[in-house]
Amino acid sequence: MKVAEIAKELDISPEELLQLALQDHLRNRLKELAAERKALLALLQVKNFKQLDRLLAQGKIREEEILSHYQRLDWIEHQIAKIRRWLKTA
């Protein structure tokens, strides 16, 4: 089925249907990223990214030991921030 056909069946415009689908997709992606962030933080035994940074600065954790996790967390944080901005304007 095409977007226009589905929109007609739902009695909304194709643009509104696409907008709703986009918002739903972004919300789902946000949940996926939040779950991955939570799992990584639990693996590293910290509550949040700031605590991890603090432990690194204090030398209690060695960066080379967690570098791939740190980079992934950093990327996740940026993705979450972008999606939240998009959802505010969507």
Side-chain angles (χ1 to χ4, degrees):
M1 227 177 192
K2 295 183 180 182
V3 171
E5 293 170 357
I6 295 170
K8 185 176 180 179
E9 288 289 322
L10 295 173
D11 196 30
I12 59 175
S13 71
E15 294 80 14
E16 184 179 358
L17 178 59
L18 289 173
Q19 184 69 20
L20 292 171
L22 174 61
Q23 289 174 352
D24 190 50
H25 174 74
L26 290 174
R27 285 188 194 101
N28 287 335
R29 184 66 179 137
L30 193 59
K31 288 176 187 175
E32 291 169 0
L33 290 167
E36 184 179 354
R37 174 181 60 187
K38 185 177 180 179
L40 279 171
L41 291 171
L43 179 70
L44 297 168
Q45 300 178 351
V46 293
K47 293 179 183 179
N48 54 47
F49 199 64
K50 287 181 182 181
Q51 183 184 16
L52 181 59
D53 273 341
R54 200 169 34 254
L55 292 173
L56 283 166
Q58 294 169 352
K60 293 182 179 178
I61 297 177
R62 293 181 46 203
E63 185 175 343
E64 51 276 354
E65 293 174 355
I66 62 153
L67 184 59
S68 64
H69 295 312
Y70 184 90
Q71 289 172 334
R72 183 68 181 173
L73 275 171
D74 188 47
W75 180 84
I76 289 170
E77 293 289 338
H78 287 284
Q79 293 300 307
I80 287 173
K82 279 196 303 191
I83 291 171
R84 285 182 176 155
R85 280 194 310 273
W86 292 336
L87 284 170
K88 284 182 182 178
T89 61

